[in-house]
Amino acid sequence: MRFWVLVAILFFPISSFADKCGVRDLARLGNLAIDSDERGEAATCLIHNQLHDDAAMAQVLRILRDPNEQLFVREDIVAALGAAHWRKKVELRGSLTPEHISRQEDEALNRTVASAKDILAVTQAVKHMQDTTSTSRFEGEFVRALSELILNKENHIQLRMACVEALTQITKMQLDSGLFDERNLRIAYEALKENSGNSDTASFYSGAGTALEALRSNARGELLATMDKPGRSLSSIGH
């Protein structure tokens, strides 16, 4: 018997707009001559619809990390990252079919209706299984970029506040999905923790302290608590 597997990617409802935000929007995002609002709209559309596209996300990441880029564009990128669909469902469908039916089996199939029904039932049997996977391979890079922006006191307070909010949402998503990389989770947690401990006014108003408490009170917040214990590590329960 041969096991045939059909893999179907089930994107979120927003994937029905997959034809949007293509090359034209990527060009708009990279065009410094146009208005920052328009560039921000292009970035938002790309993040919401093309998060899986490596070329698009590489450009978004570059702009986010560039201190000379327009502030409003970076803020729009950060806001979109916090609301992005970082997880997608994958449905596995498997059906059992005979690789080869011998002459004897073929004769038996013709002789008895009962055996024909049995064989037909086996060949039409279908197994279903769903799995959760990451939408973008740049997820870790965005987590690191947001963490760096939060800790950089030279950044505008509004940008740091937006980064705290986005990083909190991404971390919560990782915990809730059970699919995460320990390094990324630790980077986000340490950035929020360090910023919440800073005594300067900007760090206080960034909201890191409140965000940290919200994550610790999450249903899986105990995973973050292990990071405060030396010599302890955790693993993604999604692997």
Side-chain angles (χ1 to χ4, degrees), residues 150 157 160-162 164-165 195-196 201-209 211:
I150 289 172
I157 181 58
R160 294 176 69 188
M161 290 171 63
V164 166
E165 176 64 22
N195 195 60
S196 66
T201 303
S203 294
F204 174 79
Y205 282 108
S206 70

Side-chain angles (χ1 to χ4, degrees), residues 117-170:
K117 288 183 177 180
D118 291 340
I119 294 176
L120 186 62
V122 172
T123 58
Q124 292 182 338
V126 177
K127 293 181 179 180
H128 297 272
M129 181 172 60
Q130 281 196 342
D131 195 11
T132 300
T133 64
S134 298
T135 306
S136 173
R137 72 181 187 88
F138 281 89
E139 181 179 321
E141 291 297 324
F142 280 116
V143 167
R144 283 187 279 276
L146 291 171
S147 299
E148 291 167 0
L149 291 172
I150 289 172
L151 294 175
N152 188 346
K153 296 181 180 180
E154 294 183 1
N155 286 324
H156 194 282
I157 181 58
Q158 290 184 331
L159 178 61
R160 294 176 69 188
M161 290 171 63
C163 288
V164 166
E165 176 64 22
L167 191 61
T168 303
Q169 293 301 320
I170 294 174

Side-chain angles (χ1 to χ4, degrees), residues 169-186:
Q169 293 301 320
I170 294 174
T171 304
K172 183 180 182 298
M173 172 278 303
Q174 292 174 336
L175 290 172
D176 291 343
S177 70
L179 179 63
F180 55 82
D181 184 296
E182 179 188 346
R183 293 169 298 179
N184 296 332
L185 203 61
R186 185 179 293 276

Side-chain angles (χ1 to χ4, degrees), residues 29-50:
L29 176 59
N31 188 354
L32 297 176
I34 65 176
D35 185 76
S36 61
D37 288 341
E38 188 175 348
R39 293 183 67 210
E41 289 176 0
T44 299
C45 194
L46 286 167
I47 292 170
H48 286 328
N49 295 281
Q50 301 293 336

Side-chain angles (χ1 to χ4, degrees), residues 188-220:
Y189 179 74
E190 292 297 337
L192 293 173
K193 183 179 177 181
E194 180 178 339
N195 195 60
S196 66
N198 290 335
S199 58
D200 61 289
T201 303
S203 294
F204 174 79
Y205 282 108
S206 70
T210 302
L212 198 62
E213 290 306 313
L215 288 175
R216 284 170 173 166
S217 63
N218 181 272
R220 291 176 176 167

